[in-house]
Amino acid sequence: MEIPHRHLFGPGPTNPYPGATAAFADPLLGHLDPVFLELMDETCAMLRQVWGTDNARTIPLSATGSAGMEAAFVNTVHEGDVVVVAVNGLFGQRMCDVAARCGAEVVPVEHEWGQPVDVDRVLSAQPSPAIIAAVHAETSTGVRSDIAALGADKGDALLLVDAVTSIAGIELRADDWGIDVGYAGTQKCIGVAPGLAPFTINDRAFERRVEKPRSWYLDLGLLGGYVGEASGSGGRTYHHTAPTAMVASLHAGLARILDEGLPAVWERHAAAGKLLQDGLEERGLELFAAEGHRLPELTTVKVPDGVDSATVRKALLEKHSIEIGAGAGAYASSVWRIGLMGPNATPESVELILAALDDVLA
Amino acid sequence: MEIPHRHLFGPGPTNPYPGATAAFADPLLGHLDPVFLELMDETCAMLRQVWGTDNARTIPLSATGSAGMEAAFVNTVHEGDVVVVAVNGLFGQRMCDVAARCGAEVVPVEHEWGQPVDVDRVLSAQPSPAIIAAVHAETSTGVRSDIAALGADKGDALLLVDAVTSIAGIELRADDWGIDVGYAGTQKCIGVAPGLAPFTINDRAFERRVEKPRSWYLDLGLLGGYVGEASGSGGRTYHHTAPTAMVASLHAGLARILDEGLPAVWERHAAAGKLLQDGLEERGLELFAAEGHRLPELTTVKVPDGVDSATVRKALLEKHSIEIGAGAGAYASSVWRIGLMGPNATPESVELILAALDDVLA
C-alpha cells in the first residue's frame, strides 16, 4: 500500500519530529528489560519537565489521550461526588460523559463555544465540589483558558485539567497553577505519533483516590508499582505489557523538545500561530476563537459564506497533500481547524498552508 | 541512549517482523485520512482471518491486550450478571478482578496451574451463567485449553475468550468454536510491537451489550461508528485519535503472516516449539505444562534444583542478549518461560537459546 506524505496541519496528529520516527527503528525492547526501565525512567523525568511538575506519579499511560481523561476521572471520582465541569467545547462535554460513567454527580457549566472558561462562574457553581475539571486548550474551538486562576481559588476541590493540546505548545505549569490531576496526548505539540497519554497526579489527589476503580487497566494504584514511581527501578512489578516502541518514540520526541528548551519551543509555537492568524485575517478570513484567548498551535477560522468546507479540505488534501481539520460539533461545516504543532510550528508551514489556501479558495 | 539488540524469547513482546518495524518509517497519516481509513479497513479484514471469524466488529483497540480484556467484560457484563471464569493461571485470575469491577457476580473455577481447563467442571459450575470466560493459551503457564469444547456446550451463555498468546500461533477458529467475544495482543505471535488489542465480538454478544458501559474509551457502541464496521468508510465519526503508526505496523505484520499462510505459520510455531521442548528434555530439564496441552509458542520449564532463576536470566541477557521470562505468581522463581513467537518461531532461534542455556547452566 502506497502511503503518501501529508502535511498534517489539522488538530492532530501532527507530523512527528524526525527523531521520534527514527526511534521506531531501534531494536524493540522487552517491557521489563533493564534498558527499557531506564528509558521509561528518563521518559517520566522529561514528562515532569513538560508538565512543569515534580509529581513522582508522572507517566505515559498505555493508550491515547482520551484514555488519559478516563484515567483522571476513574481514579478520583467516588460514587456520588460532585464534579463541576467547565464546558466550552467538545472535550468539556466529553468530560461530563466520562465523569458520569464513573459515578459522579456532574455539574456542567456551559459556555458559548469559542469563549474561554469563565473562572468566576465555574468557581461559584457549587459550594464545595470534590473536583473542578477544565480543558486548558480546547481542541474543538482553539481557545486557551486560565488554569492558574482556577487553581488559585479552587478551595478544597481537586483541579483536573485536560492539557492534550497545550502540553509542549504553550506555557503549562502544573505545580505552580495548582493542577492536581492532568492528562495529555503525544500527537500534538509533543510531536510524536498518537498512542500514549502523558499523565500526572500529585500526592494530594493520589491520597484521595478510589481504592478499586472501575477500570483495572487504568488503576493508578496498580500502575504505580509498574512504572516504579515510588520504589525506583528495583521494585517494578508486572501490570501490563507497556507499548515499548511508542515509549521509545516518546523518549526521543521529549529529548528533542528539551534540547531546544521549553521557552524556545513555546515561542516558536507562538510566532508561527501569530503569523498564520495575521495571514488569515489579511485575506479577509474571520477567526473563530475569542480574541485574546487564541491558541497559537491551533487556529480556528470561519468558513467563508458560499464556500463548501469539505470541498476545500478535499482539494487541500488531494492537490497539496495538506490535511486541515473540519470544525467540531455544531461547527463541523462552518469552521476549519488549522494546527501548527511540534515540528510544524514554523514559518515555512505557515507559508505552505497560506499559499495552498490562496490556491484552493481562488 | 544506546539500545541493544535483544533476542526476545520471553512471554512477549517478541521481536517484530521486519516489515512491521519498517512500516513505522512510513509517513504518519491522520486518523481520518482516506488512506488511513483504507489501511484500517484492510487491517480489520486481515484480523478477521487470524481470528477465524466473519464478525463485522473486528477491530484493533487503541491500547494493549489487557485493555482488550477490560473491553470484553465492560461491554458485556450487566450489574449482577453471573460470570463463570475458568482460572488456570494468572490471566484467568485477572479476568475475575476485571469482571468484578464491571459489576459481575464472579464464579471462579480454580485449577492447578499447569493444567488445562476442565471443560465439564466449568460448564457445570452454574446452571445458567450470562458469560463463560476462559483463556485459550495461558501465558503464565504455557498451557492450551479446549475452547471448542466450551463453545459446543455453552448453552445460552456468551463465551468470552483470551487469545492473547494463541492468535496467529496456534489454530484459532472463533466462529467455528462458538467464541462470542475475543481479545488478543499484537506483541506475541502476530509479531508486532505491543500497543494494540485485536478484538472481535459477534452480533449475538453485541445485541446483549451494556448500553452505556463504565468505560467511555472502550465503549463498543461508540467505537463502532469510528471504525466504520457497519456503515463502511463513508460513515466514520470521530471517537478518539487512533494510534495510526501502530495500526500501520499491525497492517504490515498481518500482511506478512497471511502471505505465508496461517496453516504454515501454525506449523512453523508447532515445529519450533517441539524442537525446543525436545531439546530441553534431552538436557534433563523438566517441562512445567501438562503433557498433551503444551503451547509450542510458549514453553514453561522448571528451574533445576540448586539453580537460581534470576542469575541465569541475567547471564542470558548480559552474555547472550537473550531475554527469557521468569515464571508467574507462585512460580516466579521456580519456572522459566521461553517464547518462540512470530519471526522467532524458527529452528535458528531454538539453536540459539539451547546453546546459550548450555553455556549458562554449565
Side-chain angles (χ1 to χ4, degrees), chain A:
Chain A
M1 198 165 173
E2 194 61 41
I3 308 296
H5 179 276
R6 304 292 200 201
H7 300 284
L8 299 177
F9 297 158
T14 187
N15 299 98
Y17 284 109
T21 301
F24 279 131
D26 286 339
L28 191 76
L29 291 171
H31 61 291
L32 297 172
D33 191 301
V35 177
F36 176 72
L37 296 182
E38 194 185 332
L39 192 124
M40 178 67 106
D41 284 343
E42 288 187 10
T43 301
C44 294
M46 291 190 285
L47 282 179
R48 281 182 202 105
Q49 293 190 57
V50 294
W51 272 108
T53 186
D54 291 329
N55 292 340
R57 297 175 187 86
T58 303
I59 57 174
L61 294 176
S62 303
T64 67
S66 297
M69 183 189 290
E70 189 147 310
F73 286 106
V74 84
N75 282 283
T76 57
V77 173
H78 298 261
E79 194 71 37
D81 271 357
V82 173
V83 176
V84 170
V85 180
V87 179
N88 66 332
L90 182 71
F91 293 91
Q93 287 181 339
R94 179 175 298 180
M95 280 178 158
C96 297
D97 186 351
V98 171
R101 292 181 196 229
C102 297
E105 185 190 314
V106 177
V107 180
V109 181
E110 298 285 349
H111 297 68
E112 191 186 336
W113 283 35
Q115 295 297 321
V117 168
D118 182 332
V119 171
D120 290 340
R121 212 149 53 82
V122 170
L123 290 175
S124 60
Q126 278 281 324
S128 59
I131 294 170
I132 298 170
V135 178
H136 185 204
E138 243 302 344
T139 319
S140 62
T141 63
V143 163
R144 177 201 320 231
S145 290
D146 188 349
I147 299 300
L150 280 174
D153 292 315
K154 69 185 177 185
D156 188 55
L158 295 177
L159 179 59
L160 190 160
V161 170
D162 177 320
V164 170
T165 295
S166 62
I167 197 166
I170 56 174
E171 190 178 16
L172 173 65
R173 303 194 185 273
D175 288 356
D176 292 349
W177 296 354
I179 297 174
D180 297 291
V181 189
Y183 61 89
T186 48
Q187 75 276 14
K188 313 226 184 214
C189 301
I190 291 180
V192 171
L196 296 172
F199 189 90
T200 191
I201 181 167
N202 63 17
D203 290 344
R204 181 168 175 263
F206 191 72
E207 279 154 19
R208 296 191 196 177
R209 79 186 185 281
V210 180
E211 275 298 326
K212 194 155 186 159
R214 293 182 178 191
S215 170
W216 178 93
Y217 189 64
L218 301 171
D219 182 340
L220 294 175
L222 297 177
L223 277 166
Y226 176 65
V227 297
E229 39 80 19
S231 51
S233 304
R236 254 54 176 253
T237 53
Y238 168 71
H239 176 256
H240 68 281
T241 302
T244 52
M246 279 299 312
V247 173
S249 185
L250 174 58
H251 182 276
L254 291 169
R256 162 66 183 76
I257 287 170
L258 295 174
D259 192 46
E260 182 176 351
L262 265 182
V265 169
W266 295 338
E267 178 49 41
R268 179 159 56 76
H269 281 84
K274 182 169 182 351
L275 200 62
L276 173 66
Q277 289 166 13
D278 288 351
L280 292 168
E281 290 195 311
E282 277 164 24
R283 281 157 178 81
L285 290 162
E286 200 182 338
L287 301 180
F288 176 72
E291 199 171 351
H293 308 279
R294 291 172 185 153
L295 295 171
E297 69 272 36
L298 184 63
T299 296
T300 45
V301 52
K302 296 183 186 173
V303 178
D305 284 344
V307 171
D308 181 63
S309 166
T311 304
V312 169
R313 286 186 290 111
K314 189 158 184 273
L316 286 173
L317 194 69
E318 292 180 356
K319 201 167 161 195
H320 299 273
S321 213
I322 286 177
E323 175 178 282
I324 67 167
Y331 300 93
S333 49
S334 59
V335 164
W336 289 314
R337 292 183 292 164
I338 307 177
L340 296 170
M341 301 172 176
N344 290 348
T346 62
E348 293 74 22
S349 298
V350 177
E351 272 180 50
L352 262 174
I353 177 67
L354 287 176
L357 275 173
D358 285 343
D359 175 51
V360 167
L361 290 174

Side-chain angles (χ1 to χ4, degrees), chain B:
Chain B
M1 200 165 172
E2 194 60 41
I3 308 295
H5 179 276
R6 304 292 200 200
H7 301 284
L8 299 177
F9 296 159
T14 187
N15 299 98
Y17 284 110
T21 300
F24 278 131
D26 285 342
L28 191 76
L29 291 171
H31 61 290
L32 296 170
D33 191 301
V35 178
F36 177 71
L37 297 181
E38 194 184 331
L39 192 123
M40 178 66 106
D41 284 343
E42 288 187 10
T43 302
C44 294
M46 291 190 286
L47 281 179
R48 281 180 202 107
Q49 294 190 58
V50 293
W51 272 109
T53 186
D54 291 330
N55 292 340
R57 296 177 188 85
T58 303
I59 58 175
L61 295 176
S62 303
T64 67
S66 295
M69 183 190 289
E70 189 147 309
F73 286 106
V74 84
N75 281 283
T76 56
V77 173
H78 297 261
E79 194 70 36
D81 271 357
V82 172
V83 176
V84 170
V85 180
V87 179
N88 66 332
L90 181 71
F91 293 91
Q93 286 181 340
R94 180 175 298 181
M95 281 177 157
C96 296
D97 186 353
V98 172
R101 292 182 196 227
C102 296
E105 186 189 316
V106 177
V107 180
V109 180
E110 300 285 348
H111 297 68
E112 192 187 336
W113 284 35
Q115 294 298 320
V117 168
D118 181 333
V119 171
D120 290 341
R121 211 148 55 81
V122 170
L123 290 174
S124 60
Q126 277 281 325
S128 59
I131 294 169
I132 298 170
V135 178
H136 185 205
E138 243 302 343
T139 319
S140 61
T141 63
V143 163
R144 179 199 320 232
S145 289
D146 187 349
I147 299 299
L150 279 174
D153 291 315
K154 68 184 177 185
D156 187 53
L158 295 178
L159 179 59
L160 190 160
V161 171
D162 178 321
V164 170
T165 296
S166 62
I167 197 166
I170 56 174
E171 188 177 16
L172 173 65
R173 302 193 186 276
D175 288 356
D176 292 350
W177 295 355
I179 296 174
D180 297 290
V181 188
Y183 61 89
T186 48
Q187 75 275 15
K188 310 221 185 222
C189 301
I190 290 180
V192 171
L196 296 171
F199 189 91
T200 191
I201 181 168
N202 64 16
D203 289 344
R204 181 169 176 265
F206 191 73
E207 280 156 18
R208 295 190 195 180
R209 81 185 182 283
V210 179
E211 274 298 326
K212 194 155 186 157
R214 294 181 177 192
S215 170
W216 178 93
Y217 190 64
L218 300 171
D219 181 340
L220 294 174
L222 298 176
L223 277 166
Y226 177 66
V227 298
E229 38 80 18
S231 51
S233 305
R236 252 58 174 254
T237 53
Y238 168 71
H239 177 256
H240 69 281
T241 303
T244 52
M246 279 300 313
V247 173
S249 185
L250 174 59
H251 182 276
L254 291 168
R256 162 66 184 75
I257 287 169
L258 295 173
D259 191 49
E260 181 175 352
L262 266 182
V265 170
W266 296 338
E267 179 48 43
R268 179 160 57 76
H269 280 85
K274 182 168 184 346
L275 201 61
L276 172 65
Q277 289 166 12
D278 288 352
L280 292 169
E281 291 195 308
E282 277 163 23
R283 282 157 176 80
L285 290 161
E286 200 183 337
L287 301 180
F288 176 72
E291 197 171 353
H293 308 279
R294 292 173 183 152
L295 295 171
E297 69 273 35
L298 184 63
T299 295
T300 45
V301 51
K302 297 183 187 175
V303 178
D305 284 344
V307 171
D308 180 62
S309 166
T311 304
V312 169
R313 285 186 290 112
K314 191 160 182 272
L316 286 172
L317 194 67
E318 292 180 357
K319 200 168 163 193
H320 299 274
S321 214
I322 287 177
E323 175 179 282
I324 68 168
Y331 300 93
S333 48
S334 58
V335 164
W336 288 314
R337 293 183 291 165
I338 306 176
L340 296 171
M341 302 173 176
N344 290 348
T346 62
E348 292 75 20
S349 298
V350 176
E351 270 179 53
L352 262 175
I353 177 67
L354 288 177
L357 276 174
D358 286 342
D359 175 51
V360 168
L361 291 174

